[in-house]
């Protein structure tokens, strides 16, 4: 209803404007659900159940029996367990080097220590998100009018892809953020088909969750934001509708990123710490020099061996977008192109220490499938042919990708997965292509000894950034006096006077990453005459602290924070008086992991 002034009288005259007239310039459906595919909850539930069970069973075999699991996964589970069972329980154990939801979404599953330390639930979490992704893909295929047998064929060939199976089964966080990215793309798919503006809002909410689960999703969000505005403008929407829709789409993601930046500002005085020091975007300077040709070659190999269907889907989307004026196809092609070039660009600008790892092929593969589904819908009468070709291509790529996992140069635990499946033998002690070891027997053995002999709370001083796997496998983080307990300041003072606080110290033999091992290198090597070794193995040493033991008034120069330092020598310092991180230039909060690989590249089987 609008109000106008009559020339004969100063009193306002109310003119009734119908809803149809008010929305005459609006190209989207507002306030009324348009025609769409019928909901089939039973079908979605069945797909979700089948894939969850399948990946959980495979994951149990891989993680528990074959010992194929990344240490990044163990680190996140340790933090999730410490939220509930630390002494005291600490939400701050989430830290800042992972996107917060990468840990918080695991926390409900880590509530029972017995299940956490047995590792049986690790594959269940990734299986749930992978199964949800399959449900979204099936819904998109239904909107594309692909018949049920072909939908089943596509889901089966996608679900059996070696990269999908591995990352869905070993607890990696790849599917935790990709599930929400694919859900967002599926919602935009539905929006373009139905013109229902509610799907834009669903996509915005999905991206907001993805943003706090994997920062790589922000690139997809930005392209999608431009896409929504461009599509509306092309359809003739006025400025008000474009502005309202894009603001509604972007607001959830912008809000959560602003809130997370505010937390970083308040607690660390660095609002962008979540980005600069994140394991998603970490660059310690250890990256080897890669020429432009090296990056191009590496990107080509990533697509060729990890997601070969992109070689066909990408040009097909571009052709359909330009030649047939299919706007959504063109935008999906751009999103696929972004997923392809992003890993290489991260290397060129030295944003990552983990160049072109094979796990980067997983987003390329999934976006390619979304693009192929849209091509099937665009083909109308030829939808069955396109869907059949998609299923055939995915089927052919299964042995191709599986074989590549054995020899691909830049990888995590893909080779261990390949060997476990090919031989059926445990991968404990196996060596990855980058020289890292696979397995966790050393962690399990140390954890068992501690549970049998050192059950008292806060009796073991340790740097949880390096010994998190041992802490997880005890299922009792309260036994340890770690950097999360009372923050880095009190922990640092305890490290210099351990006899005043603990009876034992747990040190990693990898002294370059363990602050406590740096302080006591001879003890970490099992050679200290005073701090006698109680139990040790290849990765860890447990030493007893005599009751009158003191480190001494002076620290070695290498440990003086006024030099190149690790520890602050000011006994009276508190965390508020300076950087809460005792590692120079480390910026890790409360014992967060020292692993700086990109995304799920830390699932590389590297030792703590």
């Amino acid at each position: 209803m609008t109000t106008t002034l009559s020339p004969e009288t100063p009193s306002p005259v109310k003119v009734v404007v119908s809803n149809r007239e008010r929305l005459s310039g609006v190209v989207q459906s507002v306030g009324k659900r348009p025609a769409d595919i019928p909901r089939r909850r039973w079908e979605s539930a069945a797909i979700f159940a089948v894939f969850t069970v399948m990946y959980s069973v495979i994951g149990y075999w891989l993680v528990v029996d074959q010992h194929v699991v990344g240490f990044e996964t163990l680190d996140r589970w340790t933090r999730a367990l410490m939220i509930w069972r630390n002494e005291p329980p600490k939400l701050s154990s989430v830290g800042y080097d992972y996107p917060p939801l990468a840990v918080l979404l695991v926390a409900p599953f880590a509530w029972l220590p017995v299940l956490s330390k047995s590792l049986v639930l690790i594959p269940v979490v990734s299986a749930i998100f992978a199964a949800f992704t399959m449900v979204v893909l099936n819904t998109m295929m239904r909107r594309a009018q692909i018949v049920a047998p072909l939908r089943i064929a596509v889901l089966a060939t996608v679900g059996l892809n070696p990269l999908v199976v591995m990352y869905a089964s070993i607890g990696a966080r790849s599917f935790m953020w990709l599930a929400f990215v694919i859900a967002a793309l599926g919602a935009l798919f539905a929006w373009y088909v139905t013109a229902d503006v509610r799907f834009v809002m669903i996509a915005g909410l999905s991206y907001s969750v993805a943003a706090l689960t994997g920062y790589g999703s922000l690139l997809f969000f930005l392209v999608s934001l431009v896409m929504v505005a461009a599509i509306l403008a092309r359809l003739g929407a006025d400025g008000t509708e474009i502005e309202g829709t894009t603001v509604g789409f972007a607001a959830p993601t912008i809000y959560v990123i602003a809130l997370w930046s505010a937390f970083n500002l308040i607690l660390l005085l660095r609002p962008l710490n979540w980005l600069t020091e994140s394991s998603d975007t970490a660059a310690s300077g250890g990256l080897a020099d890669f020429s432009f040709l090296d990056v191009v070659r590496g990107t080509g190999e990533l697509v060729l061996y990890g997601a070969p269907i992109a070689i066909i889907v990408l040009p097909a989307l571009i052709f359909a977008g330009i030649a047939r004026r299919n706007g959504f196809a063109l935008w999906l092609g751009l999103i696929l192109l972004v997923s392809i070039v992003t890993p290489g660009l991260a290397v060129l600008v030295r944003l990552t220490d983990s160049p072109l790892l094979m796990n980067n092929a997983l987003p390329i593969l999934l976006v390619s499938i979304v693009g192929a589904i849209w091509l099937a819908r665009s083909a109308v009468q030829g939808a069955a042919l396109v869907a059949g070709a998609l299923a055939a291509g995915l089927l052919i790529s299964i042995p191709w990708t599986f074989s590549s996992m054995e020899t691909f140069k830049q990888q995590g635990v893909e080779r261990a997965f390949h060997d476990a499946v090919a031989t059926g033998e445990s991968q404990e002690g196996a060596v990855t292509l980058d020289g890292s070891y696979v397995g966790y027997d050393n962690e399990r053995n140390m954890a068992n000894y501690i549970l049998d002999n050192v059950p008292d709370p806060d009796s073991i001083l340790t740097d949880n950034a390096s010994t998190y796997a041992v802490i997880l496998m005890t299922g009792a983080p309260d036994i340890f006096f770690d950097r999360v307990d009372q923050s880095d300041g009190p922990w640092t003072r305890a490290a210099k006077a351990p006899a005043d606080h603990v009876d034992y110290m747990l040190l990693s033999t990898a002294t370059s990453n363990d602050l406590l091992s740096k302080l006591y290198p001879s003890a970490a090597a099992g050679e200290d005459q005073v701090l006698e070794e109680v139990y040790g193995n290849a990765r860890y040493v447990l030493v007893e602290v005599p009751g009158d033991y003191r480190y001494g008034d002076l620290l070695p120069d290498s440990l003086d924070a006024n030099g190149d330092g690790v520890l602050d020598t000011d006994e009276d310092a508190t965390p508020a008086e300076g950087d809460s991180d005792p590692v120079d230039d480390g910026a890790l909060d409360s014992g967060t992991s020292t692993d700086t690989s990109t995304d799920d590249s830390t699932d590389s089987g590297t030792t703590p």
Side-chain angles (χ1 to χ4, degrees), residues 76-77 79-81 83-84 102-112:
R76 289 186 295 108
W77 273 81
R79 301 182 193 205
L81 177 63
I83 291 175
W84 306 107
V103 177
L104 291 176
L105 290 176
V106 173
F109 300 88
W111 186 73
L112 285 176

Side-chain angles (χ1 to χ4, degrees), residues 36 60 156 300 373 429 454 536 602:
D36 192 14
Y60 180 89
I373 294 172
V454 193
T602 44

Side-chain angles (χ1 to χ4, degrees), residues 192-239:
Y192 196 84
V193 170
T194 65
D196 189 344
V197 70
R198 287 176 290 186
F199 285 119
V200 178
M201 305 303 124
I202 293 173
L205 290 172
S206 297
Y207 271 127
S208 69
V209 179
L212 293 186
T213 310
Y215 298 139
S217 61
L218 290 174
L219 289 174
F220 294 96
F221 163 74
L222 292 174
V223 177
S224 298
L225 176 61
V226 178
M227 177 185 73
V228 170
I231 288 176
L232 287 175
R234 182 174 177 271
L235 293 176
D238 61 20

Side-chain angles (χ1 to χ4, degrees), residues 3 30 120 181 209 301 322 333 355 358 391 405 424 487 543 573 593:
T3 302
V30 179
V120 296
V181 169
V209 179
E301 291 175 350
I322 297 175
M358 200 171 189
M405 296 173 80
S487 79
V543 298
S593 171

Side-chain angles (χ1 to χ4, degrees), residues 233-449:
R234 182 174 177 271
L235 293 176
D238 61 20
T240 301
E241 183 180 5
I242 295 175
E243 179 183 355
T245 304
T246 53
V247 168
F249 172 78
T253 302
I254 293 175
Y255 174 77
V256 297
I257 291 299
L259 186 63
W260 187 229
S261 298
F263 277 121
N264 281 258
L265 174 63
I266 294 170
L267 299 177
L268 301 176
L269 302 179
R270 295 189 295 271
L272 295 181
N273 179 79
W274 61 271
L275 183 61
T276 58
E277 302 299 334
S278 166
S279 58
D280 278 4
T281 56
S284 66
L287 181 64
D289 290 329
F290 283 81
S291 68
F292 179 77
L293 290 179
D294 291 334
V295 171
V296 171
R297 185 185 303 111
T299 300
E301 291 175 350
L302 191 67
V303 175
L304 178 61
Y305 297 114
I309 66 167
I311 299 173
I312 299 174
V313 173
L314 179 58
L317 287 170
I318 295 174
F319 175 80
I322 297 175
R324 302 180 62 181
R325 297 185 178 180
N326 190 328
F328 197 69
L330 190 60
W331 281 103
L332 284 177
L334 179 59
I335 292 174
L336 177 55
L337 183 62
V338 167
S339 68
I340 292 173
V341 303
T342 296
L345 288 176
V347 173
L348 289 176
V349 300
R350 307 189 69 82
L351 190 63
T352 175
D353 284 345
S354 304
L356 298 169
L357 291 175
M358 200 171 189
N359 72 289
N360 290 311
L362 189 58
I364 302 173
L365 175 65
L366 294 178
V367 175
S368 297
I369 294 168
V370 173
I373 294 172
W374 180 256
L375 290 174
R377 184 187 184 279
S378 302
V380 189
Q381 300 299 327
L385 179 62
V386 176
L390 173 60
L394 289 169
L395 180 63
I396 294 172
S397 70
I398 289 176
W400 173 260
T401 300
F402 181 71
S403 176
S404 303
M405 296 173 80
E406 182 181 15
T407 57
F408 196 85
K409 294 180 181 179
Q410 305 290 342
Q411 61 166 275
V413 293
E414 281 84 0
R415 182 174 180 176
F417 169 83
H418 172 277
D419 293 348
V421 174
T423 66
E425 298 177 356
S426 172
Q427 297 302 296
E428 178 66 42
V431 182
T432 63
L433 291 182
D434 66 352
S436 303
Y437 288 91
V438 179
Y440 49 79
D441 274 356
N442 288 290
E443 286 76 14
R444 179 73 74 192
N445 293 338
M446 179 60 75
N448 289 338
Y449 180 87

